[in-house]
Amino acid sequence: MNTKSNKMATMPIPKLVLNMSLPAILAMTVQALYNIVDSYFVAKDTLSGLTAVSLAFPIQMIIVALSVGIGVGINSCVSRNLGAHNEEDAINTAEHGLVLTMCLYLILLLLGLFAVDLYIPLFTSDPAVITSGIAYTKIVLIFSFSQMLAQSIISILQGTGDMVSSMYVQLTGAIANCILDPIMIFGLFGCPALHVAGAAYATVIGQFLSLLLALFLLYRKRDKLPISLRTFKFRPSILTNIIRIGLPSAVMQAVGSVMVTGMNLILSQFGDAAITVMGIYFKLQSFAFMPLFGMNQGVLPILSFNYGAQIKSRFMQARRFATNLALGYTLIALAVFQLFPEQLMAIFSAEGEIMALGIVSLRILSLAFPIAAISISLSPVFQSLERASITMITSILRQLGLLLPLSWLLFKLFGAYVGWLAFPIAELIATIYNIVMYRKVKVEIIDRMPDKAEEVAV
C-alpha cells in the first residue's frame, strides 16, 4: 500500500477528517440513540428496571474497556505500519489482536458466571432491582464475545482507512437492538415478556449480528489483508505493541467503571432516585461524547499514518481541525442540556424527585462538556505518538484522584443538588494537565518530525 497513493497521505485534511470520521460518528451516534432507546423501554416497563440497568452500567464499562483497549492498539499499529510500508507487520498485528481478544473474553465469562451475584446487592436492598440487575448483567457478560470480536475487526478495518465498513457493522447491532428491545421486553409478536432480561438479550443478539457482518467484511478484504489464524505465529514484540498502546485506553475505561461504582456508593445514601438520575445522565451524555469518540476513531489512523510517514504538517492540521470540531459540537450539546433538561428527563418517564433532581444535575454536569472536548481530542494525538500513558494518567487523575474525593466531599456537605459540581471541577483540572503534557510532547516529538514532502489530492 504505497504512501503516495493512500488517501491518508494525499487528501486535504478537512475533507480527510470528515471522510474518515463521519461514518464512525454516524455509527456512534446511533449507538448513543440505542442506549437511550434501551433505557426508554426499560423505564416504560418499570423504574426499578431502570435502576437495575444503571447498576449494571459499570460492568458493561469493563467490556467496553477491554474492547476499546485492544481496538485502539490494533488501529494505531495497523495504520502506522502501513504508513511505514510494513504490510506484513500490519497483518500480523491484526492476527495477534484477534487472538488476544478471545483470551480476554475468558475473563469476562468468569465474571459473568461467578461475580455478578455478589456485586449488585452492594448498592441496593430492593429485591426487584437485585433480581433484574443480576439477570441483565450475567447475560451481557456471558455473551460478550460478540461485542469484543466485532470491535477488534472494526479496528482492523479502520486501521486500513476503511471507515464505511466499520460503520455498517456498528449500525447493524444498534438498529437490531432498537427493534428487538420492545419485542423482548414487553413480549410482542409471540415473544414472551422478558422485562429487563429482554433488554439484555436484545443487546447480545444485536452484537452477534454485528459480528457476523464484521466477519463477512473482513473476509471480503482477504486479497488486501490476508489474515489467517491457521498460519498464526506468535511474536511477543507485536503483542507488546498492541498492549502498550491499547492498555492506557483500557485502563481509562476501567477507571470509569470504578468511578461509576464509587459514585453509586456515594449516591446510595440519597436513595435509588440519585442513582437513577446518574444512570440517566450517562445515557444522555453519550450524545455529547459518542460523536467525539467516533471522530477519534477516524482521526487516530490519520495521525498514526502521517506520523509513520513523517508528514508533520498534515499531522498538525488534523490535530487542530479535530479539536475545533470537538469544541463546536460540545457547545451545541451544552446549550441543549441547559435549555431542555426537563424534556430530556421526560424521555425516561422521570417524575417527582427524580425529575427535580435530574433537571438540576443535567445543567450542572453539562458544564463539563466543552472542557472535556479538549482532552478527548488530544487522546488520539498521544495514542498515535505512543504516549497513550498520558491519556491514562489524565483519566485516573480526573476520575479517581479528583472526581470521587470531590464528589464525596460536596455531596456530604451540600447534598444531592450541589454535589454534581465535582464533575466540571475535576474536568477542568484534568484538562489543564492534559494541555501541559501536550505542549511537552509537541516539543519532544512533533516539532522534531522531518516534515516530508506531501502530495495533496484535489
Side-chain angles (χ1 to χ4, degrees), residues 252-328:
M252 285 167 52
Q253 294 289 335
V255 165
S257 176
V258 174
M259 181 273 291
V260 174
T261 301
M263 286 299 302
N264 283 338
L265 287 171
I266 292 170
L267 294 173
S268 62
Q269 64 183 305
F270 301 101
D272 288 349
I275 293 175
T276 302
V277 166
M278 192 177 73
I280 290 174
Y281 165 70
F282 279 118
K283 299 292 183 180
L284 291 171
Q285 75 150 7
S286 60
F287 266 112
F289 292 140
M290 281 294 193
L292 301 191
F293 297 145
M295 181 189 69
N296 280 359
Q297 288 183 14
V299 171
L300 177 58
I302 297 172
L303 295 171
S304 298
F305 185 98
N306 283 285
Y307 174 55
Q310 293 290 279
I311 307 177
K312 175 184 173 182
S313 58
R314 291 178 61 79
F315 184 98
M316 289 301 297
Q317 288 175 45
R319 200 283 299 164
R320 286 191 291 265
F321 188 70
T323 299
N324 290 335
L325 280 180
L327 282 171

Side-chain angles (χ1 to χ4, degrees), residues 180-194:
L180 291 173
D181 261 335
I183 296 174
M184 305 192 79
I185 291 173
F186 303 119
L188 306 178
F189 307 113
C191 177
L194 300 174

Side-chain angles (χ1 to χ4, degrees), residues 57-73:
F57 183 64
I59 301 298
Q60 290 179 288
M61 291 181 70
I62 293 176
I63 305 174
V64 175
L66 295 176
S67 302
V68 168
I70 299 171
V72 167

Side-chain angles (χ1 to χ4, degrees), residues 348-370:
F348 304 92
S349 304
E351 55 186 19
E353 183 183 3
I354 293 177
M355 174 63 80
L357 181 59
I359 290 173
V360 174
S361 67
L362 292 189
R363 283 184 170 142
I364 294 176
L365 290 164
S366 60
L367 295 174
F369 289 175

